[in-house]
Amino acid sequence: MNYGYVRVSTQKQKTDRQTIELLEVGLEKRKIYIDKQSGKDFNRENYQKLKKRLKRGDCVFIKSIDRLGRNYTEIINEWNELTKIIHCDIVVLDMSLLDTRERKDNLIGKFIGDIVLQILSFVAENERVNIRQRQMEGIKIAKEKGVRFGKPPKELPYNFKELCIQYKLGQLSIEDILASSNISRATFYRKIKSYL
C-alpha cells in the first residue's frame, strides 16, 4: 500500500505544494497524512497514525527528507525505524537516489540511499544551525542599534502621576485607576514606583 506524508511547521503554512506532488505520483488523497506542526519531535498526530497503519512492504512518499525531522539524528533514526524495523519503503521526491523500493540493483540502491541520506541529513541539520546562528547575530546587531523586540510598552495615561498621588493619599482605589486608565494591575504596580 502506498501512503504520503506532508508536514508544514505552522498552522498558517500551506500544504498544497507537497500534496499536489504526492497526488501527481498517483497517491490517493485519503492516503496522504498531513501535519501542521513543527518537526522538532515525532509527537505529530497524523504521522503517528500513519506509522501505526504501516506494514511490511508498504511505501511512504515524502516531498523532502526534512519532512521526517529537523536534525541529523532524528532523520536517521526515523529512516531506520521505517525501513529496518517496520520494513516499509520510502521515496523522497526531491532526491531520486532516496528510493528504497525493490529494483534489480536493490542492494547497491539501498547502500547508496543510506549514504545519501546520511549526507543530506547532515547538510539539513547544519543549515538549520547556520540559520539560527545568523538569526542570533541579526538580533544582537539590531539590539545594539536600539531596535526593541516584543510588544511596545503600554502607554500610560497623561495624568498618571496625579493618579499615583491620589492613590497614595487614599483618594482613589486601584479599581478606579484601572477602570479609567486601561492598564493592568501589574503595569500599575510596576510603574507607580517611578512616579512616587
Side-chain angles (χ1 to χ4, degrees), residues 10-27:
T10 68
Q11 291 293 325
K12 292 180 182 177
Q13 290 179 306
K14 303 242 183 267
T15 60
D16 300 353
R17 182 178 54 87
Q18 293 178 59
T19 305
I20 288 168
E21 288 202 36
L22 293 174
L23 292 171
E24 286 175 351
V25 297
L27 289 174

Side-chain angles (χ1 to χ4, degrees), residues 12 43 68 116 120 178 191:
K12 292 180 182 177
N43 294 326
L68 289 180
V116 171
L120 290 177
L178 298 181
K191 296 292 185 179

Side-chain angles (χ1 to χ4, degrees), residues 59-181:
C59 186
V60 178
F61 288 77
I62 55 176
K63 168 85 172 115
S64 59
I65 194 62
D66 62 353
R67 299 304 85 196
L68 289 180
R70 292 179 55 166
N71 66 50
Y72 175 81
T73 304
E74 288 175 352
I75 292 171
I76 296 297
N77 289 342
E78 206 60 26
W79 182 277
N80 287 334
E81 182 177 352
L82 293 174
T83 61
K84 295 177 173 64
I85 295 171
I86 299 173
H87 295 285
C88 68
D89 287 307
I90 301 176
V91 176
V92 180
L93 299 177
D94 282 356
M95 179 57 63
S96 58
L97 284 173
L98 294 177
D99 180 347
T100 64
R101 292 175 293 183
E102 288 288 330
R103 295 186 301 269
K104 289 179 187 173
D105 62 343
N106 190 40
L107 183 60
I108 293 173
K110 284 191 184 261
F111 174 71
I112 290 172
D114 285 348
I115 291 172
V116 171
L117 170 70
Q118 298 227 10
I119 292 168
L120 290 177
S121 300
F122 171 78
V123 169
E125 180 174 7
N126 196 47
E127 181 57 22
R128 275 185 295 279
V129 168
N130 289 339
I131 288 169
R132 267 197 304 272
Q133 180 64 32
R134 288 192 294 268
Q135 285 173 334
M136 296 309 293
E137 289 168 359
I139 290 169
K140 181 180 177 193
I141 290 168
K143 283 183 176 179
E144 287 171 356
K145 289 181 177 179
V147 175
R148 294 183 58 103
F149 292 90
K151 291 194 316 188
K154 191 91 169 174
E155 200 168 303
L156 297 175
Y158 70 94
N159 62 341
F160 187 72
K161 185 174 182 174
E162 294 168 27
L163 294 173
C164 292
I165 293 168
Q166 289 177 318
Y167 170 77
K168 186 77 170 172
L169 296 173
Q171 296 170 349
L172 285 176
S173 71
I174 183 74
E175 284 73 22
D176 294 332
I177 294 171
L178 298 181
S180 67
S181 64

Side-chain angles (χ1 to χ4, degrees), residues 4-8 15 19 29 32-36 46-47:
Y5 180 64
V6 169
R7 181 183 63 76
V8 291
T15 60
T19 305
K29 192 166 188 166
I32 298 174
Y33 290 77
I34 299 173
D35 280 313
K36 288 190 168 191
N46 288 318
Y47 182 72

